[in-house]
Amino acid sequence: MTLPPTALLARMRFTHLRLLDVVARTGNMHRAAEEMHLTQPATTKILHQIEDILGVALFVRTPRGMTATEIGHAVVAYARRALSDGERFAVGLDNLKRGGYGALSVGVILSTASDLLPKAVAELKRRRPLMTIRLLAATSDLLMTALERRELELVIGRLTNVRYAADFAFEPLSREEVWLFAADTHPFARRRRLPIEELAAAAWVRQPSPSPARNLLDAMFVKASTNVPDNVIETTSVFATIQLVRHAGMIAVLPKSIVKEEVQRGGLIRLPLPLDTELDPYGIITPKGGDLSDNAVEFLAIVRALIAGREASSSRTR
């Protein structure tokens, strides 16, 4: 029997949602039971309750563990969004009861974390000092996954997949330039020209695919009919990237806003990069059809004002 939506939701409990998340994440009923502080029979019984309520199997047992079915993936995605919304509500409510302004969860690409983000957060905290702000600085692909799960209210980044355009609004803010850099003791240091073949043979620190900077680099090698580098370390950490370049004889690409300051400090040097060094514009990404919180609206107003001021300053210095 198919339950009407209101009846179905009335039978779903927080424990059901949490179990769906844990089973999907661990792929193991024993580990799920341990994480939820339940016996394994009790955990299995709860999963069966959920499947009875929904009228469909959500997981199948495989040699590699519990795997979500196609419908199971959709249900797990809903459960994670609901859990994230509930957590944000609880944090915001606690903040409001203490006289604060609630909470805001924001995801930002790494390049904004060194300049735009600190200024925007400082101004927001000046206006709303008791507001709780949760920040996730990562690559756009990871941020979009978190936004899709409703773990974030908004993102300053890029749409990394065309399918996101159906569910998320994008407001362009600015472009960013990337720099290729190395330690000033690297054999490439102070070279005026670097053949693509030498770059392909070098040791690289790269962001994982499908980050925009990674795609830019891969396209450069493909266009030159050269093999993509295979001597690589992949990381989303800016700190790890800079330290590996500084101490392990590797080269990397990062946004100018991050690398320029490190070059000025000494020990690193910018290298010539044989490609267009501008990434696609980054901007404000929000779910379509939903109202933003007052905190998010004010934060975005501050971000827009900072971008406008930066562009006006840049125009005057040209």
Side-chain angles (χ1 to χ4, degrees), residues 230-305:
D230 53 11
N231 183 1
V232 300
I233 292 177
E234 293 188 353
T235 179
T236 60
S237 168
V238 170
F239 177 79
T241 298
I242 291 173
Q243 295 307 310
L244 286 166
V245 169
R246 192 183 295 276
H247 301 295
M250 310 187 84
I251 63 175
V253 162
L254 282 176
K256 172 185 173 181
S257 58
I258 297 172
V259 180
K260 184 177 180 180
E261 184 176 344
E262 296 294 329
V263 169
Q264 290 171 342
R265 290 176 181 172
L268 299 177
I269 190 169
R270 183 186 180 187
L271 301 176
L273 187 59
L275 82 164
D276 181 3
T277 57
E278 274 200 347
L279 296 172
D280 291 337
Y282 67 84
I284 299 165
I285 305 173
T286 54
K288 289 182 178 179
D291 294 329
L292 295 175
S293 67
D294 291 343
N295 290 331
V297 170
E298 186 148 13
F299 174 76
L300 292 179
I302 293 169
V303 168
R304 294 184 184 104

Side-chain angles (χ1 to χ4, degrees), residues 102-149:
L104 175 64
S105 297
V106 179
V108 296
I109 54 175
L110 303 172
S111 60
T112 67
S114 63
D115 179 29
L116 177 65
L117 179 65
K119 292 178 180 177
V121 168
E123 176 59 20
L124 187 60
K125 290 294 284 183
R126 185 189 68 80
R127 300 180 188 182
R128 303 186 174 201
L130 297 183
M131 183 178 66
T132 300
I133 303 175
R134 292 185 171 185
L135 298 174
L136 174 62
T139 54
S140 290
D141 54 308
L142 297 178
L143 295 177
M144 288 307 302
T145 298
L147 184 62
E148 196 169 32
R149 293 176 179 173

Side-chain angles (χ1 to χ4, degrees), residues 9 37 92-93 100 107 143 155 178 201 221 227 256 268 296:
L9 291 174
H37 305 291
L93 180 62
L143 295 177
V155 160
V178 294
F221 290 110
N227 291 333
K256 172 185 173 181
L268 299 177

Side-chain angles (χ1 to χ4, degrees), residues 20-21 24-25 58-59 68 71-81:
L20 290 170
D21 171 51
R25 179 161 38 81
L58 301 177
F59 294 90
I71 294 177
H73 281 296
V75 175
V76 168
Y78 163 76
R80 287 171 171 165
R81 289 196 300 270

Side-chain angles (χ1 to χ4, degrees), residues 199-212:
L199 289 173
W204 283 81
V205 189
R206 300 188 305 184
Q207 294 177 351
S209 183
S211 70

